[in-house]
Amino acid sequence: MKIIVVDDDTVYSHPGVVNLLKRIGHAEDAVVPLTRPQDLATELDRHPDTALVLVDMNFLNTSRTGLTALRLLADRDGPPAVGFSAPEDDRLLYPYAACQLLKRPPVGWVLKNVFDQAELERIVRQIAEGSTPDPSMTLRQFLPSHQLTGKLVQSLLQDQIDLTIWRMMSTRLHKDDEVARKIFMHKKSVRNRYLRYRKAIEKLQLALSEMSRSGRASDGYMPHRWLEEWDPAGPDSAKLSGMIGTFARLNRGFFKAPELDELVPQ
């Protein structure tokens, strides 16, 4: 069995996977490090026996993100993937995008600071036994079938106009008329989009709160400090624009991802 680890910081991820394979009796299996997601196609051609690909989301050595690798695997029906990311605010939306924008979601997602070895080990064991891995419990929050959050990315990024708005607001707070001029729409249309965004974010906040209260943190709960502190009361203009701007800036890294130009509809 061969596992490719796509991560620019292999000092962290590579030894962990090697040790995992040793622990389950597969020390002879290979772990192939890859530092850029856009090179995955070449690496898969070089290693056609690859059984699993672990994909980080953020890379310092390229503008591409892990969505490039996950999309390649989904489009070419490649080996299953497990995504992993840090839990900071600007990593929040990557698993939602991976599950809701791609033809095939990953089979697992782990947070780098806790690196859920038990869940990853379960997936690796199933693959080593020749089985198709069951989707990770940590994916429930992100899958399109989730009642509260399954349409999150679709609600935030229905089209390229939405993407333009989010990218503008992620740099600094823009007035409604500034945004309207940029997207060639009436200011009222901008406000309507803001209201759609707020509704989706409120549903996300509700879902995270319910997971936290029910003690299901291990089932995919991904905390978001700003959402936990935000009070959505008050319909005034400054509150709405400010809320959108705050969310955009906290998730600036995600909204800058070049893959969104290819994945979000025109």
Side-chain angles (χ1 to χ4, degrees), residues 17 43 56 72 82 91 98 108 110 123 127 144 153 160 162 164 252-253 259:
V17 179
E43 205 66 25
D56 188 22
L72 170 72
V82 172
R91 311 293 197 272
V110 294
I123 292 172
I127 292 175
V153 174
Q160 291 285 326
D162 286 332
T164 298
R252 180 185 294 117
E259 294 85 356

Side-chain angles (χ1 to χ4, degrees), residues 44 50-51 53 72-81 104:
L44 288 172
T50 298
V53 182
L72 170 72
L73 293 167
D75 287 350
R76 65 185 277 174
D77 197 25
R104 188 189 69 185

Side-chain angles (χ1 to χ4, degrees), residues 62-91:
T62 176
S63 63
R64 307 299 292 187
T65 76
L67 291 176
T68 289
L70 294 179
R71 184 187 183 190
L72 170 72
L73 293 167
D75 287 350
R76 65 185 277 174
D77 197 25
V82 172
F84 61 97
S85 59
E88 287 86 357
D89 288 323
D90 66 348
R91 311 293 197 272

Side-chain angles (χ1 to χ4, degrees), residues 126-175:
Q126 287 185 306
I127 292 175
E129 294 166 358
S131 304
T132 300
D134 299 321
S136 168
M137 292 177 66
T138 57
L139 285 181
R140 291 181 180 178
Q141 176 181 340
F142 314 118
L143 293 173
S145 57
H146 194 285
Q147 182 179 2
L148 289 176
T149 61
K151 303 295 183 183
L152 176 67
V153 174
Q154 179 181 334
S155 299
L156 297 179
L157 292 170
Q158 285 188 358
D159 54 33
Q160 291 285 326
I161 293 175
D162 286 332
L163 181 57
T164 298
I165 292 174
W166 284 113
R167 284 176 172 171
M168 286 183 68
M169 297 296 278
S170 71
T171 58
R172 64 175 178 82
L173 182 62
H174 290 263
K175 295 181 179 179

